[in-house]
């Protein structure tokens, strides 16, 4: 079974520029998550989709971050404009069940963003 | 909002010694999950605990869920160098009665093992 695919693996941008990340979840996983992991911290949920609908975006900085999952499969996360504090690893995850279940959440390899 | 705290932040052990990390939630959880993240890697699911007082074992790893479903622990017996990484607990809560809940991660415990 293929895992969660993410691209790019690394991105370096200047502050105030824009950037986009892409994620393709495991086939059949209706729930997709974007997490932000700052160095030395645990992952923090940014947004959660069920199929193509948003079910939780309470921690997404909506003035600069946006995300979509138009066809209920792959998803993009965008930052515009980026700030220095956005430097982090952006992890996409998917799951069969929102509660986790026997297989939990499957994470992709992440995109390491550096804002200079 | 829900907070999940883990201690210790770091743990250095000699190979063969035991290791324990503890997790506490500010709210009662529907379930708790444990993940391992190797250096430079991404979190990988280890296990989920659902029932009050539940204990599960995976080889040298023992996971416990507290009676009040607000705390948990992970114990590794006789650590090996392959155990190196960051161990995260993550609490799942949909106590608000909504259809969808949220998985909140602790800050993790970084384990280093000296051969």
């Amino acid at each position: 079974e293929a895992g969660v695919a993410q691209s790019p693996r690394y991105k370096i941008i200047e502050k105030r520029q824009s950037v986009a990340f892409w994620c393709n979840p495991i086939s059949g996983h209706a729930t997709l998550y974007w997490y932000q992991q700052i160095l030395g911290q645990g992952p923090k949920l940014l947004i959660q989709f069920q199929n193509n609908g948003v079910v939780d975006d309470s921690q997404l900085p909506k003035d600069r971050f946006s995300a979509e999952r138009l066809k209920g499969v792959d998803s993009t996360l965008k930052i515009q404009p980026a700030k220095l504090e956005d430097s982090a690893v952006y992890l996409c995850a998917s799951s069969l069940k929102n509660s986790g279940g026997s297989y939990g959440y499957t994470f992709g390899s992440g995109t390491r963003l550096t804002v200079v | 909002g829900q907070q999940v705290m883990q201690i210790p932040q770091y743990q250095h052990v000699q190979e063969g010694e035991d290791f324990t990390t503890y997790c506490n939630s500010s709210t009662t959880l529907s379930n708790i999950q444990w993940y391992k993240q190797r250096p430079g890697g991404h979190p990988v699911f280890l296990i989920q605990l659902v029932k009050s007082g539940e204990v599960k074992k995976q080889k040298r790893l023992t996971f416990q869920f507290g009676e009040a479903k607000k705390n948990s622990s992970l114990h590794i017996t006789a650590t090996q160098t392959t155990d190196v990484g960051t161990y995260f607990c993550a609490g799942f809560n949909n106590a608000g009665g909504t259809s969808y809940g949220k998985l909140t991660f602790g800050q993790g415990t970084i384990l280093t093992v000296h051969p």
Side-chain angles (χ1 to χ4, degrees), chain B residues 98-113:
Chain B
T98 59
S99 299
Y100 302 101
K102 181 185 294 187
L103 190 67
T104 301
F105 281 76
Q107 65 266 52
T109 296
I110 299 172
L111 172 65
T112 56
V113 180

mmCIF file of all heavy atoms in Angstrom, chain B residues 98-113:
data_model
loop_
_atom_site.group_PDB
_atom_site.id
_atom_site.type_symbol
_atom_site.label_atom_id
_atom_site.label_comp_id
_atom_site.label_asym_id
_atom_site.label_seq_id
_atom_site.Cartn_x
_atom_site.Cartn_y
_atom_site.Cartn_z
ATOM 1 N N THR B 98 -19.605 16.336 18.786
ATOM 2 C CA THR B 98 -19.565 16.538 17.335
ATOM 3 C C THR B 98 -19.209 15.221 16.650
ATOM 4 O O THR B 98 -18.751 14.280 17.282
ATOM 5 C CB THR B 98 -18.524 17.601 16.965
ATOM 6 O OG1 THR B 98 -17.242 17.162 17.440
ATOM 7 C CG2 THR B 98 -18.856 18.930 17.605
ATOM 8 N N SER B 99 -19.398 15.188 15.368
ATOM 9 C CA SER B 99 -19.103 13.969 14.627
ATOM 10 C C SER B 99 -17.607 13.734 14.515
ATOM 11 O O SER B 99 -17.170 12.607 14.342
ATOM 12 C CB SER B 99 -19.707 14.057 13.231
ATOM 13 O OG SER B 99 -21.111 14.192 13.313
ATOM 14 N N TYR B 100 -16.836 14.807 14.592
ATOM 15 C CA TYR B 100 -15.404 14.690 14.379
ATOM 16 C C TYR B 100 -14.663 15.250 15.566
ATOM 17 O O TYR B 100 -15.014 16.286 16.111
ATOM 18 C CB TYR B 100 -14.996 15.429 13.097
ATOM 19 C CG TYR B 100 -15.736 14.905 11.897
ATOM 20 C CD1 TYR B 100 -16.822 15.583 11.379
ATOM 21 C CD2 TYR B 100 -15.360 13.693 11.322
ATOM 22 C CE1 TYR B 100 -17.526 15.076 10.303
ATOM 23 C CE2 TYR B 100 -16.060 13.186 10.251
ATOM 24 C CZ TYR B 100 -17.131 13.872 9.750
ATOM 25 O OH TYR B 100 -17.830 13.370 8.689
ATOM 26 N N GLY B 101 -13.607 14.539 15.956
ATOM 27 C CA GLY B 101 -12.791 14.988 17.070
ATOM 28 C C GLY B 101 -11.446 15.468 16.598
ATOM 29 O O GLY B 101 -11.157 15.523 15.402
ATOM 30 N N LYS B 102 -10.600 15.797 17.559
ATOM 31 C CA LYS B 102 -9.278 16.349 17.275
ATOM 32 C C LYS B 102 -8.224 15.553 18.012
ATOM 33 O O LYS B 102 -8.401 15.191 19.177
ATOM 34 C CB LYS B 102 -9.230 17.810 17.715
ATOM 35 C CG LYS B 102 -7.901 18.506 17.455
ATOM 36 C CD LYS B 102 -7.900 19.914 18.038
ATOM 37 C CE LYS B 102 -8.882 20.815 17.357
ATOM 38 N NZ LYS B 102 -8.759 22.228 17.821
ATOM 39 N N LEU B 103 -7.112 15.282 17.313
ATOM 40 C CA LEU B 103 -5.974 14.593 17.912
ATOM 41 C C LEU B 103 -4.927 15.637 18.272
ATOM 42 O O LEU B 103 -4.390 16.305 17.379
ATOM 43 C CB LEU B 103 -5.399 13.567 16.934
ATOM 44 C CG LEU B 103 -4.359 12.601 17.506
ATOM 45 C CD1 LEU B 103 -5.001 11.675 18.529
ATOM 46 C CD2 LEU B 103 -3.697 11.797 16.382
ATOM 47 N N THR B 104 -4.659 15.773 19.572
ATOM 48 C CA THR B 104 -3.712 16.777 20.076
ATOM 49 C C THR B 104 -2.459 16.079 20.574
ATOM 50 O O THR B 104 -2.532 15.207 21.447
ATOM 51 C CB THR B 104 -4.351 17.594 21.215
ATOM 52 O OG1 THR B 104 -5.532 18.230 20.732
ATOM 53 C CG2 THR B 104 -3.377 18.651 21.725
ATOM 54 N N PHE B 105 -1.329 16.490 20.044
ATOM 55 C CA PHE B 105 -0.056 15.867 20.403
ATOM 56 C C PHE B 105 0.583 16.546 21.609
ATOM 57 O O PHE B 105 0.478 17.767 21.784
ATOM 58 C CB PHE B 105 0.920 15.951 19.231
ATOM 59 C CG PHE B 105 0.678 14.927 18.156
ATOM 60 C CD1 PHE B 105 -0.371 15.071 17.262
ATOM 61 C CD2 PHE B 105 1.497 13.807 18.044
ATOM 62 C CE1 PHE B 105 -0.607 14.125 16.277
ATOM 63 C CE2 PHE B 105 1.273 12.859 17.064
ATOM 64 C CZ PHE B 105 0.219 13.012 16.180
ATOM 65 N N GLY B 106 1.263 15.742 22.419
ATOM 66 C CA GLY B 106 2.151 16.287 23.430
ATOM 67 C C GLY B 106 3.434 16.773 22.769
ATOM 68 O O GLY B 106 3.619 16.623 21.558
ATOM 69 N N GLN B 107 4.332 17.331 23.582
ATOM 70 C CA GLN B 107 5.572 17.883 23.018
ATOM 71 C C GLN B 107 6.635 16.831 22.804
ATOM 72 O O GLN B 107 7.673 17.116 22.202
ATOM 73 C CB GLN B 107 6.101 19.023 23.896
ATOM 74 C CG GLN B 107 6.537 18.596 25.281
ATOM 75 C CD GLN B 107 5.420 18.773 26.300
ATOM 76 O OE1 GLN B 107 4.306 18.312 26.112
ATOM 77 N NE2 GLN B 107 5.736 19.434 27.394
ATOM 78 N N GLY B 108 6.376 15.613 23.274
ATOM 79 C CA GLY B 108 7.282 14.508 23.008
ATOM 80 C C GLY B 108 8.387 14.351 24.031
ATOM 81 O O GLY B 108 8.761 15.290 24.738
ATOM 82 N N THR B 109 8.899 13.132 24.116
ATOM 83 C CA THR B 109 10.083 12.813 24.924
ATOM 84 C C THR B 109 11.153 12.291 23.985
ATOM 85 O O THR B 109 10.923 11.313 23.258
ATOM 86 C CB THR B 109 9.775 11.745 25.991
ATOM 87 O OG1 THR B 109 8.825 12.244 26.917
ATOM 88 C CG2 THR B 109 11.051 11.339 26.719
ATOM 89 N N ILE B 110 12.298 12.969 23.996
ATOM 90 C CA ILE B 110 13.416 12.562 23.133
ATOM 91 C C ILE B 110 14.246 11.532 23.876
ATOM 92 O O ILE B 110 14.781 11.805 24.956
ATOM 93 C CB ILE B 110 14.290 13.777 22.766
ATOM 94 C CG1 ILE B 110 13.459 14.812 22.008
ATOM 95 C CG2 ILE B 110 15.486 13.330 21.925
ATOM 96 C CD1 ILE B 110 14.178 16.126 21.774
ATOM 97 N N LEU B 111 14.349 10.347 23.309
ATOM 98 C CA LEU B 111 15.114 9.262 23.919
ATOM 99 C C LEU B 111 16.422 9.055 23.162
ATOM 100 O O LEU B 111 16.416 8.870 21.937
ATOM 101 C CB LEU B 111 14.312 7.965 23.898
ATOM 102 C CG LEU B 111 15.054 6.697 24.340
ATOM 103 C CD1 LEU B 111 15.443 6.790 25.813
ATOM 104 C CD2 LEU B 111 14.225 5.443 24.078
ATOM 105 N N THR B 112 17.513 9.109 23.892
ATOM 106 C CA THR B 112 18.806 8.724 23.320
ATOM 107 C C THR B 112 19.313 7.517 24.085
ATOM 108 O O THR B 112 19.142 7.423 25.305
ATOM 109 C CB THR B 112 19.834 9.867 23.373
ATOM 110 O OG1 THR B 112 19.974 10.310 24.725
ATOM 111 C CG2 THR B 112 19.388 11.030 22.515
ATOM 112 N N VAL B 113 19.929 6.588 23.377
ATOM 113 C CA VAL B 113 20.420 5.351 23.973
ATOM 114 C C VAL B 113 21.905 5.232 23.680
ATOM 115 O O VAL B 113 22.322 5.219 22.511
ATOM 116 C CB VAL B 113 19.681 4.130 23.404
ATOM 117 C CG1 VAL B 113 20.213 2.845 24.034
ATOM 118 C CG2 VAL B 113 18.179 4.263 23.618
#
